[in-house]
Every structure is written in structure tokens, then in C-alpha cells.
């Protein structure tokens, strides 16, 4: 970290020297120009008045800049944002960072297109380095340590959208001085939301069949793993069944398979993401067998699933219940507002979150690093923390509207300037990772209480 900050200060010193040289040259030009003009004395008459007025305007402008950007010493931080999949959440994040954060904290953001693979992510980082970026916020969660190392080559701060798991452990323990930590949702709590809903709503007096969409669980993705595990545990508990294989076997499968059990409840494991070629068609083909009336998904499957779902419901005159992960945005709202042939919302239960919090967490990490307060992000072991947001269960369009209305624009963002300032070392140099986590919990608890 010391080496990284030293290089940042060297850049600033060199810039300041150049500014002083340019100022001296400009002063000399002005002096000689005034001496040559109409024989007037320097400082006499109207010219002196204009000079004083100009100086006053310049000082006023500088005062406003200093008030908003004390920590950066006038430097505009440039931050790149790498997107793995461009969704409604990506658009929300871009609007929040560019329209709300950038002008207040003197920052500039540049956003990638959808990054198809690690090579594309590496290229984006290199382009950001060439453009003079100071940091990368990565929402591309494959080969994360490689991305961190690439940023280290260019002396750029790096934060990653991933939980602390064996997959990401090397970033925390590898001694990278440009690493600012990770940000994610509380995945165990997310799994609990699905477990609770299914335990309360599955009627064992009726026959049911279940498609369980495990998303990227086979790749060790924590969110997919926790939610898929919770859904399968719920089936075990509701029916008192025992699967033939251990649940970990189903989660590790990268190809569809049947989860046989001693109660003969139809359970079909369907992995991967909805934007993979053939995903929706394959899911539709299995549903067309007529064995299933529940789709339990550890991903936002509603984004491309509506037509297929409607076709199956009409073919079998069967109400198919969809319980899935959700992402704040227009697609989730449309899914709840769209009625199926039975007059029910096309989603039975989904999740959402306070999007401004999810966008603010990586900014807090990056800004602390760039302003020399990276130690404020450390835990009790001196390692960087994973800052966590929280999912909220949603079962109706009215409930979703109530949540989104409380976190919609600069007049009511949950992650407002007051919250962000409470998480910055420039305002409290004794701040710790535990303090920042406590601030996050406090603002989320308040936002949830306001919904009651």
C-alpha cells in the first residue's frame, strides 16, 4: 500500500510543479502585455478593477471545489467499471455513480460493455489504464485474481463484486497493496429468504414437481450455491424426503440431471445462466413434459422466460409458480405487473435490494484507497473486508413499488451523501472495516423499518 500511495503522490507532485511553471509563464505574458498597451500603468484604472473581480470569482469557485473535494486536493479521480452482464442493475449503477456520486466527490466514471470473457476484461482494464484511470470496480467475477494483478501492473486500485470464499481468498491474503476489498450481498441471508418462503407456501396436500435452476453453483458461485442449497433443503424439510445423492452432487453438475428421491417427487436440476445459447429452449422443453408446476431459480430467470412460461401454462392449463432471484429494475417490475392466464402475477416471490447501497459500497472502498485511507477498510486481522448489502423478499407489485420508491433518486437514496461520508476515512481517520459494516447495517435497518 505504501508503494502504491508513494507513486500516487509522485504523480501529484509532478502535476503541481507543471502547474507552477505554467502559472509563472502566464504571469510574465500578462505583465509584458500590460506594459505594451497604450502607455497605461500596471494596476491603474479599469484594468485593475477587472483583475480584482476576476480574482474574487476564481477564489469563490475554488472555495466551492475545496468544500466538495477536500480529500482529493482538487484531483479528479477516474474510475472504470467492468460489467460481466449488462442488466437493469448495471443501468441503475451507472446512473447513480455518474449523476449522484461523480459531481459531489469530483470523480469520473467509464463503463464497459458486456464482457464476454477474461480477455475482454483484461483489455478493458488496459484501456482504462491508457485513459488515466485510478481504479477499477469489477463486476466481472471470473479469474478475479488475474484482474487484480493486471491492475497492480498499472498502479490502479481494484475492488471486486464477489463474496469472500475459497475462490477469492487469494486476493485477501496475497499481499496486494492495490486491493480495496470486495462487495456482495449477504448470501446466507438470501438463502434463508428462499427457505422461509418455500416452507410457508408449498402445500404438500397437492402434487407438485420442481425445476431447480442452480445457475453458476457448479462454478462455485456463492450466491447460486447458497440459494440453490436453501431451495433443496426446503424440499427435504417440507416433504421429509431424502435425495439419492448428496446435495453437493447436484450443485456441482454443469449439465441438467434428475434429483431422484425416496418420495418420488419430480425434481429436475437445471444449471447455467439464462443468456447461454439454448438455455430457455431447454428449460421450456422440460416444462413441456407437464411434470412441473414450480420453477425455483437462483437467478433472475424472468428476464427471458415470460413467453415460454405462458406457452406451458396454456398447454396444460397449469399455474406454474416462479420463485427466483431478482434484480432491481424495469424487468422485475414488469414481471410482477404482468398477469398470467389465471390472473396471478407471473412471479410468486422474488428478491430485490436497495440498489444505491450496492452501488455505493465499491465507491466507498475505492475512494478510501485513493485518498490514502485504505487501512479504514481493514478487519481486525489487517485484511480487507467484504462489504455486504442485503436482499429483501418481494411477493407483490405493491410491495416492490414501496421498496423502489424509497431508493429512486437523489431526493431519497438510501445510500445518500450522509451515509457515504460516514464511511470515509477523510472524515474519521480512526474508522475501521467493522465501523463501516456497522454503518451499513444501521442504514439498511432504518430503510427496512421505514417500509413497515
Amino acid at each position: 500500500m505504501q508503494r502504491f500511495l508513494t507513486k500516487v503522490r509522485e504523480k501529484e507532485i509532478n502535476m503541481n510543479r507543471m502547474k507552477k511553471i505554467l502559472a509563472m509563464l502566464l504571469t510574465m505574458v500578462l505583465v509584458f502585455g500590460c506594459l505594451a498597451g497604450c502607455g497605461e500603468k500596471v494596476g491603474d484604472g479599469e484594468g485593475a478593477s477587472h483583475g480584482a473581480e476576476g480574482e474574487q470569482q476564481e477564489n469563490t469557485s475554488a472555495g466551492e471545489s475545496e468544500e466538495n473535494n477536500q480529500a482529493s486536493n482538487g484531483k479528479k479521480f477516474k474510475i472504470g467499471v467492468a460489467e460481466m452482464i449488462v442488466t437493469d442493475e448495471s443501468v441503475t449503477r451507472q446512473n447513480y455513480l455518474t449523476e449522484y456520486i461523480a459531481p459531489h466527490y469530483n470523480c469520473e466514471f467509464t463503463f464497459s460493455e458486456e464482457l464476454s470473457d477474461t480477455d475482454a476484461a483484461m483489455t478493458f482494464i488496459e484501456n482504462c489504464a491508457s485513459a488515466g484511470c485510478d481504479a477499477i470496480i469489477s463486476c466481472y467475477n471470473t479469474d478475479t485474481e488475474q484482474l487484480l494483478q493486471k491492475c497492480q501492473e498499472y498502479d490502479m486500485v481494484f475492488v471486486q463484486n464477489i463474496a469472500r470464499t475459497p475462490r477469492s481468498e487469494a486476493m485477501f491474503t496475497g499481499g496486494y497493496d492495490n486491493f480495496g476489498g470486495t462487495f456482495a450481498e449477504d448470501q446466507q441471508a438470501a438463502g434463508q429468504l428462499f427457505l422461509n418462503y418455500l416452507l410457508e407456501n408449498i402445500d404438500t396436500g397437492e402434487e407438485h414437481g420442481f425445476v431447480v435452476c442452480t445457475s453458476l453453483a457448479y462454478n462455485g458461485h456463492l450466491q447460486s450455491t447458497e440459494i440453490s442449497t436453501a431451495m433443496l433443503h426446503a424440499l427435504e424439510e417440507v416433504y421429509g424426503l431424502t435425495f439419492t445423492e448428496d446435495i453437493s452432487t447436484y450443485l456441482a453438475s454443469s449439465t441438467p440431471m434428475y434429483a431422484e428421491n425416496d418420495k418420488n417427487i419430480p425434481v429436475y436440476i437445471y444449471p447455467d445462466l439464462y443468456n447461454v445459447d439454448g438455455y430457455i429452449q431447454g428449460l421450456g422443453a422440460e416444462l413441456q413434459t407437464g411434470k412441473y408446476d414450480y420453477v425455483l431459480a437462483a437467478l433472475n430467470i424472468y428476464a427471458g422466460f415470460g413467453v415460454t412460461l405462458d406457452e406451458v401454462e396454456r398447454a396444460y392449463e397449469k399455474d406454474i409458480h416462479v420463485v427466483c432471484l431478482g434484480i432491481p429494475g424495469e424487468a422485475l417490475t414488469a414481471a410482477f405487473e404482468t398477469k398470467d392466464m389465471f390472473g396471478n402475477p407471473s412471479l410468486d416471490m422474488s428478491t430485490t435490494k436497495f440498489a444505491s447501497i450496492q452501488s455505493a459500497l465499491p465507491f466507498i472502498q475505492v475512494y478510501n484507497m485513493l485518498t490514502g485511507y485504505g487501512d479504514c477498510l481493514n478487519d481486525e486481522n489487517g485484511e480487507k473486508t467484504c462489504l455486504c448489502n442485503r436482499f429483501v423478499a418481494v411477493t407483490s407489485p405493491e410491495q416492490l413499488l414501496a421498496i423502489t420508491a424509497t431508493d429512486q433518486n437523489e431526493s431519497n437514496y438510501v445510500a445518500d451523501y450522509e451515509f457515504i461520508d460516514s464511511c470515509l476515512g477523510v472524515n474519521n481517520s480512526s474508522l475501521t472495516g467493522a465501523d463501516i459494516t456497522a454503518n451499513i447495517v444501521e442504514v439498511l435497518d432504518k430503510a427496512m423499518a421505514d417500509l413497515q
Side-chain angles (χ1 to χ4, degrees):
M1 186 66 196
Q2 185 60 42
R3 180 177 68 83
F4 173 78
L5 290 175
T6 298
K7 291 188 177 182
V8 171
R9 292 189 184 107
E10 286 175 355
K11 291 180 182 178
E12 293 178 350
I13 289 170
N14 290 334
M15 289 180 65
N16 289 334
R17 286 174 178 168
M18 288 297 298
K19 289 178 181 177
K20 289 179 180 178
I21 292 171
L22 290 173
M24 291 174 64
L25 291 173
L26 180 59
T27 301
M28 292 173 66
V29 171
L30 290 173
V31 169
F32 285 118
C34 289
L35 288 172
C38 300
E40 291 182 358
K41 295 180 180 178
V42 178
D44 282 352
E46 189 176 351
S49 174
H50 285 170
E53 182 181 352
E55 183 179 347
Q56 183 178 5
Q57 291 174 346
E58 183 177 359
N59 288 340
T60 300
S61 176
E64 292 174 353
S65 177
E66 183 177 356
E67 181 179 350
N68 292 327
N69 311 298
Q70 293 174 358
S72 63
N73 293 319
K75 173 180 169 58
K76 175 173 283 190
F77 294 129
K78 299 180 71 173
I79 303 167
V81 182
E83 299 283 5
M84 187 171 191
I85 300 176
V86 177
T87 63
D88 283 347
E89 183 175 3
S90 308
V91 176
T92 301
R93 176 167 43 245
Q94 182 170 343
N95 291 339
Y96 176 82
L97 292 176
T98 56
E99 297 175 10
Y100 189 66
I101 294 297
H104 190 79
Y105 292 99
N106 196 27
C107 294
E108 178 182 335
F109 294 88
T110 182
F111 297 81
S112 77
E113 297 180 349
E114 192 167 290
L115 299 173
S116 58
D117 53 34
T118 301
D119 287 341
M122 290 289 196
T123 299
F124 175 71
I125 290 174
E126 291 169 351
N127 291 340
C128 285
S130 298
C133 284
D134 304 289
I136 294 292
I137 294 172
S138 175
C139 299
Y140 180 89
N141 54 18
T142 301
D143 299 322
T144 54
E145 191 178 11
Q146 291 183 38
L147 305 184
L148 170 57
Q149 292 168 347
K150 177 62 69 173
C151 285
Q152 188 179 50
E153 290 179 23
Y154 293 108
D155 295 317
M156 290 192 293
V157 167
F158 180 84
V159 300
Q160 175 68 50
N161 182 200
I162 195 171
R164 184 166 183 171
T165 67
R167 290 177 61 221
S168 61
E169 185 67 15
M171 293 194 295
F172 289 90
T173 59
Y176 297 104
D177 56 11
N178 65 321
F179 180 55
T182 65
F183 61 103
E185 296 85 5
D186 184 338
Q187 307 300 355
Q188 290 185 336
Q192 192 65 42
L193 291 177
F194 285 86
L195 178 66
N196 293 343
Y197 177 83
L198 295 174
L199 292 179
E200 294 170 5
N201 288 276
I202 294 177
D203 183 359
T204 57
E206 302 175 352
E207 291 187 4
H208 298 295
F210 303 86
V211 175
V212 180
C213 302
T214 55
S215 188
L216 296 177
Y218 69 88
N219 198 32
H221 186 250
L222 182 63
Q223 182 179 91
S224 304
T225 300
E226 290 289 347
I227 294 176
S228 300
T229 300
M231 294 188 295
L232 291 171
H233 277 322
L235 297 183
E236 287 181 322
E237 190 168 340
V238 167
Y239 289 102
L241 63 79
T242 300
F243 287 111
T244 303
E245 304 287 343
D246 189 83
I247 285 179
S248 61
T249 301
Y250 305 129
L251 301 182
S253 178
S254 59
T255 57
M257 64 182 297
Y258 296 99
E260 297 179 355
N261 56 84
D262 61 349
K263 303 294 185 183
N264 295 319
I265 304 295
V267 179
Y268 185 67
I269 306 298
Y270 196 71
D272 239 320
L273 298 174
Y274 69 84
N275 61 342
V276 171
D277 288 344
Y279 182 93
I280 295 298
Q281 294 88 336
L283 178 58
E286 187 64 29
L287 289 174
Q288 286 285 2
T289 63
K291 296 187 293 184
Y292 311 99
D293 63 341
Y294 267 90
V295 175
L296 312 179
L299 71 161
N300 55 324
I301 196 169
Y302 53 82
F305 186 51
V307 174
T308 299
L309 182 66
D310 182 66
E311 290 175 351
V312 176
E313 287 189 328
R314 293 184 181 280
Y316 289 92
E317 294 187 352
K318 178 184 292 187
D319 186 12
I320 298 179
H321 305 278
V322 179
V323 177
C324 70
L325 181 73
I327 294 176
E330 294 178 1
L332 180 61
T333 300
F336 267 110
E337 291 178 347
T338 300
K339 304 292 186 181
D340 62 18
M341 64 176 292
F342 302 99
N344 303 317
S346 57
L347 291 181
D348 289 74
M349 178 270 194
S350 188
T351 59
T352 188
K353 55 193 170 186
F354 297 106
S356 67
I357 292 288
Q358 192 69 11
S359 302
L361 298 186
F363 174 73
I364 288 168
Q365 292 171 317
V366 163
Y367 198 78
N368 275 320
M369 291 287 288
L370 292 176
T371 53
Y373 292 93
D375 287 348
C376 292
L377 301 168
N378 292 351
D379 61 16
E380 64 275 10
N381 298 318
E383 297 174 349
K384 292 296 183 284
T385 52
C386 175
L387 302 181
C388 289
N389 194 6
R390 188 187 304 164
F391 278 114
V392 182
V394 182
T395 56
S396 71
E398 293 78 17
Q399 187 182 14
L400 178 61
L401 177 61
I403 294 171
T404 55
T406 63
D407 192 39
Q408 198 165 37
N409 53 54
E410 63 181 51
S411 67
N412 64 356
Y413 280 135
V414 174
D416 57 13
Y417 298 138
E418 181 180 359
F419 163 71
I420 294 174
D421 287 344
S422 74
C423 298
L424 299 181
V426 295
N427 301 317
N428 178 6
S429 59
S430 63
L431 202 67
T432 67
D435 295 329
I436 294 175
T437 296
N439 292 342
I440 296 168
V441 171
E442 181 180 356
V443 76
L444 286 172
D445 285 346
K446 182 181 183 303
M448 290 298 298
D450 290 343
L451 293 174
Q452 304 304 319

